[in-house]
Amino acid sequence: MTHTAPVPYVLGVDTDTTTLREADHLLRALASELALPEGVFGCTHLVRDGRPRVALSLAAESEPVLRTVRDRLTEQGYEVSDGAPDEAGRAVLFPGADALTGTLTLAELLARSAIDRVTVLGTPGEPDPRTLLVTREHVRPHWQDGRLVLAAMPAAGGTLVPFEDPDPTPCCADH
């Protein structure tokens, strides 16, 4: 797959969601409802401006696609603006995301998706492309310097897992 730099047309969508899980669900629901075409990027952005929440961004190569999306979201009561809330969005929807299931090599992950590179927490340099990644069906890369980068961490048996846990334990769950 050809890796994609950030696409030129981006909309920010303000929401009342307060968790990443809620924002992921909303983003997927909107993508389905709006029948977003293949190639659209959908990201979450943490907003801390006195009203902490998770905003969304949608990016596409075609302005007319997003113009229609803007109109429909505005009709639904969302506050929509040009551009993303920040440059470090967490990608939920991206080309190839649906193909990142099960266990695959880093080379397969990079070939199947718009992810440009993988970093491993606590290790310098690039990981071996033959290293296995157990996706847990939850791959959330972040934009860094215009590239989509997946942070991973070591796991059992010399494998890697995405840094973001799909089922995090809530803070103070044992109290």
Side-chain angles (χ1 to χ4, degrees), residues 13-24 26-27 43-49 51-57 78 85 90 92:
V13 183
D14 203 350
T15 74
D16 290 324
T17 61
T18 57
T19 69
L20 291 174
R21 185 179 295 215
E22 277 182 293
D24 285 8
L26 177 58
L27 195 50
C43 296
T44 61
H45 304 263
L46 298 177
V47 179
R48 297 176 180 98
D49 65 356
R51 185 174 64 94
R53 63 199 179 283
V54 183
L56 309 177
S57 67
Y78 290 101
R90 171 184 161 273
V92 176

Side-chain angles (χ1 to χ4, degrees), residues 16-86:
D16 290 324
T17 61
T18 57
T19 69
L20 291 174
R21 185 179 295 215
E22 277 182 293
D24 285 8
H25 180 76
L26 177 58
L27 195 50
R28 289 187 180 281
L30 288 173
S32 176
E33 177 186 324
L34 300 170
L36 295 178
E38 182 69 28
V40 170
F41 288 82
C43 296
T44 61
H45 304 263
L46 298 177
V47 179
R48 297 176 180 98
D49 65 356
R51 185 174 64 94
R53 63 199 179 283
V54 183
L56 309 177
S57 67
L58 297 169
E61 292 182 18
S62 169
E63 185 178 14
V65 167
L66 289 185
R67 193 174 311 127
T68 301
V69 168
R70 174 194 291 272
D71 293 344
R72 292 188 58 200
L73 289 171
T74 302
E75 288 169 6
Q76 292 180 24
Y78 290 101
E79 185 179 319
V80 182
S81 60
D82 290 329
D86 59 45

Side-chain angles (χ1 to χ4, degrees), residues 122-138:
T123 63
E126 298 288 322
D128 186 318
R130 298 170 295 184
T131 304
L132 293 175
L133 178 86
V134 180
T135 67
R136 303 180 296 193
E137 281 66 43
H138 192 81

Side-chain angles (χ1 to χ4, degrees), residues 83-103:
D86 59 45
E87 294 180 12
R90 171 184 161 273
V92 176
L93 306 174
F94 54 93
D98 292 340
L100 304 181
T101 60
T103 300

Side-chain angles (χ1 to χ4, degrees), residues 75-173:
E75 288 169 6
Q76 292 180 24
Y78 290 101
E79 185 179 319
V80 182
S81 60
D82 290 329
D86 59 45
E87 294 180 12
R90 171 184 161 273
V92 176
L93 306 174
F94 54 93
D98 292 340
L100 304 181
T101 60
T103 300
L104 24 120
T105 66
L106 296 183
E108 290 171 320
L109 172 114
L110 296 172
R112 291 180 184 180
S113 72
I115 296 173
D116 291 301
R117 76 185 261 261
V118 176
T119 60
V120 180
L121 299 179
T123 63
E126 298 288 322
D128 186 318
R130 298 170 295 184
T131 304
L132 293 175
L133 178 86
V134 180
T135 67
R136 303 180 296 193
E137 281 66 43
H138 192 81
V139 178
R140 300 294 188 265
H142 287 79
W143 287 108
Q144 293 178 1
D145 299 321
R147 298 178 73 200
L148 207 49
V149 179
L150 178 67
M153 59 186 183
T159 64
L160 298 173
V161 293
F163 175 70
E164 185 175 317
D165 188 333
D167 297 306
T169 302
C171 177
C172 307

